């Protein structure tokens, strides 16, 4: 099952995008809107409910004394973060240039915050997901068989559910998702998401402690009733066979969903374990999360020029006339570490140069730059140094 790109409202999906952004926890076993609207107890006690705060109509998760995290596509949803009954004013926002993650700094100090999941072994792990939005809607049937439920009325109520991580899905450069399907294997509280759950959280247990593993991003859909794209709808389906999904836009194309076994729909949460460097750079820039003697800010800035999967790609060098042009990425903004271009003709002795630069792109606080260095001698090597 491929990843369909999400937008905030369903109407944007109708305009040509393929995913409705996530909005509310829908339970498989129970359509009662009052179910799972208080903190989980027993074995699920402490599974993340206590770290959720209201951010406008959506949720955010406290991740540090002055920071909470939410989905980038809802990050203008509110003017304050309400946590444990206290309202905190917003100071500034940090958006990750590669994912849908957004971190807000608040004025004041949060009394508690979620630990972050770091093991990288999410597939097969049971999860707790928390969201806020619609109730379970009417039944979706095909040839007299129940296949799932439509998205129901939005009520803004915070709910939780359970599921199991199916796999990790790649959405492009440094953009990964925890993916879970609505396949009835998640236990008595098997859950899916719908419009309104964006910004809510996925928690997994690591070392006996529930930790933040994802921020709700999107769901599979919409689905259609024929090959012409008629009867489009969003729903929590535990078997989508017999319906159609869209796999082309110019011109629109709709494919029948088939299979020997049920094909469940699923939801996506932006993966925390793959973004720890960026997160620590925001919440503790001068700290040293991995204990290697390099600050989190410099560590992250250097990662911008590392090959995948640790980074978006290494610097590239190309001959352009009588110059060598190197393209690389650097962090900009307050506190950004300095960068320098160095050249060598023997890979042993390096000299700092200050060549003319062309800014190719700026995405949030990451800038892509091309530096052109005139050739000297018969050979020349270039490298970029980040930090002191």
């Amino acid at each position: 099952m491929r990843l369909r790109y999400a937008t905030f409202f369903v109407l944007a999906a109708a305009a040509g995008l393929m995913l409705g952004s996530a909005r509310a926890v829908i339970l498989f076993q129970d359509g009662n809107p009052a179910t799972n609207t208080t903190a989980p107890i027993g074995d699920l006690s402490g599974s993340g409910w206590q770290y959720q705060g209201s951010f406008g109509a959506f949720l955010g998760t406290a991740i540090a004394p002055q920071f909470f995290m939410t989905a980038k596509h809802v990050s203008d949803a509110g003017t304050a973060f309400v946590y444990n009954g206290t309202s905190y004013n917003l100071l500034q926002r940090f958006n990750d240039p590669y994912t849908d993650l957004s971190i807000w700094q608040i004025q004041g100090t949060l009394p508690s915050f979620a630990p972050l999941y770091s093991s990288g072994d999410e597939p097969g792990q049971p999860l707790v997901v928390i969201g806020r939005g619609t109730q379970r809607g009417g039944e979706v049937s095909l040839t007299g068989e129940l296949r799932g439920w439509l998205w129901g009325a939005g009520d803004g109520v915070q709910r939780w559910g359970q599921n199991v991580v199916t796999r990790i899905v790649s959405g492009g450069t440094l953009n990964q998702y925890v993916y879970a399907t609505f396949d009835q294997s998640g236990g008595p509280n098997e859950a899916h998401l719908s419009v309104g759950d964006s910004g809510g959280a996925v928690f997994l247990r690591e070392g006996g402690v529930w930790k933040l593993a994802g921020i709700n991003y999107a769901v599979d859909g919409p689905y259609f009733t024929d090959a012409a794209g008629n009867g489009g709808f969003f729903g929590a389906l535990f078997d989508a066979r017999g319906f159609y999904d869209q796999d082309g836009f110019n011109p629109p194309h709709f494919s029948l969903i088939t299979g020997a076994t049920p094909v469940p729909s699923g939801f996506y949460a932006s993966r925390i374990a793959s973004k720890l460097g960026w997160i620590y750079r925001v919440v503790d820039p001068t700290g040293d999360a991995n204990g290697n003697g390099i600050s989190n800010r410099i560590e992250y800035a250097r990662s911008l020029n590392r090959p995948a999967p640790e980074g978006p790609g290494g610097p590239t060098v190309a001959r352009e006339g009588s110059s060598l042009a190197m393209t690389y990425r650097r962090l900009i903004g307050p506190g950004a570490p300095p960068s320098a271009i160095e050249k060598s003709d023997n890979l042993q002795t390096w000299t700092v140069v200050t060549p003319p630069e062309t800014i190719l792109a700026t995405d949030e606080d990451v800038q892509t730059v091309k530096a052109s260095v005139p050739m000297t001698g018969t050979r020349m090597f270039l490298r970029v140094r980040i930090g002191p």
Side-chain angles (χ1 to χ4, degrees), residues 245-260:
D245 62 3
Q246 187 172 357
D247 59 6
F249 294 107
N250 294 308
H253 183 267
F254 303 88
S255 296
L256 179 66
I257 301 171
T258 61

Side-chain angles (χ1 to χ4, degrees), residues 56-388:
F58 299 91
L59 291 177
T61 303
I63 61 168
Q66 288 189 302
F67 298 89
F68 73 92
M69 180 180 288
T70 188
K72 186 192 300 183
H73 68 270
V74 304
S75 61
D76 288 321
T79 58
F81 182 56
V82 181
Y83 189 66
N84 291 347
T86 299
S87 181
Y88 297 88
N89 292 329
L90 307 179
L91 291 179
Q92 59 180 324
R93 176 176 60 186
F94 302 84
N95 288 335
D96 178 35
Y98 301 105
T99 71
D100 189 53
L101 293 175
S102 185
I103 295 175
W104 276 98
Q105 184 178 14
I106 56 91
Q107 187 176 39
T109 302
L110 300 172
S112 60
F113 53 90
L116 305 180
Y117 192 87
S118 61
S119 292
D121 60 351
E122 298 95 331
Q125 301 283 356
L127 65 83
V128 170
V129 61
I130 305 164
R132 183 181 179 192
T134 72
Q135 302 172 9
R136 195 174 81 178
E139 294 182 350
V140 176
S141 297
L142 190 64
T143 62
E145 295 181 352
L146 178 67
R147 298 299 184 88
W149 295 271
L150 296 171
W151 295 354
D155 58 12
V157 174
Q158 184 174 318
R159 298 184 183 86
W160 62 270
Q162 293 179 270
N163 210 308
V164 174
V165 179
T166 304
R167 63 180 181 272
I168 301 301
V169 174
S170 175
T173 302
L174 298 184
N175 192 2
Q176 297 179 351
Y177 304 95
V178 175
Y179 179 68
T181 52
F182 197 50
D183 56 10
Q184 308 177 58
S185 66
N189 296 298
E190 171 89 9
H192 203 335
L193 303 182
S194 67
V195 61
D197 277 327
S198 294
V202 168
F203 281 81
L204 301 181
R205 191 178 268 140
E206 182 180 44
V209 177
W210 287 97
K211 298 183 179 182
L212 178 66
I215 296 295
N216 298 341
Y217 171 62
V219 295
D220 287 325
Y223 297 97
F224 303 87
T225 56
D226 62 32
N230 295 312
F233 67 94
F234 284 90
L237 303 184
F238 55 84
D239 189 0
R241 290 179 299 174
F243 294 108
Y244 293 76
D245 62 3
Q246 187 172 357
D247 59 6
F249 294 107
N250 294 308
H253 183 267
F254 303 88
S255 296
L256 179 66
I257 301 171
T258 61
T261 58
V263 179
S265 61
F267 67 85
Y268 306 81
S270 297
R271 188 188 187 198
I272 297 300
S274 65
K275 302 306 301 182
L276 293 176
W278 171 73
I279 294 169
Y280 288 126
R281 174 258 156 183
V282 173
V283 304
D284 186 17
T286 61
D288 181 10
N290 59 12
N292 65 354
I294 302 172
S295 73
N296 296 328
R297 180 162 46 206
I298 293 178
E299 190 86 62
Y300 173 69
R302 291 177 177 176
S303 75
L304 296 173
N305 291 290
R306 290 178 187 150
E310 289 80 15
T316 61
V317 178
R319 181 77 176 262
E320 294 185 353
S322 61
S323 297
L324 277 185
M326 185 170 72
T327 301
Y328 68 102
R329 300 169 190 85
R330 65 187 178 196
L331 196 62
I332 58 174
S339 61
I341 304 298
E342 299 178 338
K343 71 174 184 177
S344 174
D345 60 5
N346 57 17
L347 294 178
Q348 296 180 16
T349 302
W350 294 88
T351 302
V352 175
V353 294
T354 55
E357 296 180 338
T358 302
I359 298 174
L360 302 179
T362 301
D363 192 353
E364 302 298 345
D365 58 358
V366 175
Q367 200 169 68
T368 302
V369 180
K370 182 171 75 171
S372 296
V373 183
M375 289 285 294
T376 56
T378 59
R379 64 178 184 174
M380 187 172 70
F381 304 94
L382 298 178
R383 71 181 184 184
V384 59
R385 186 181 72 226
I386 304 293

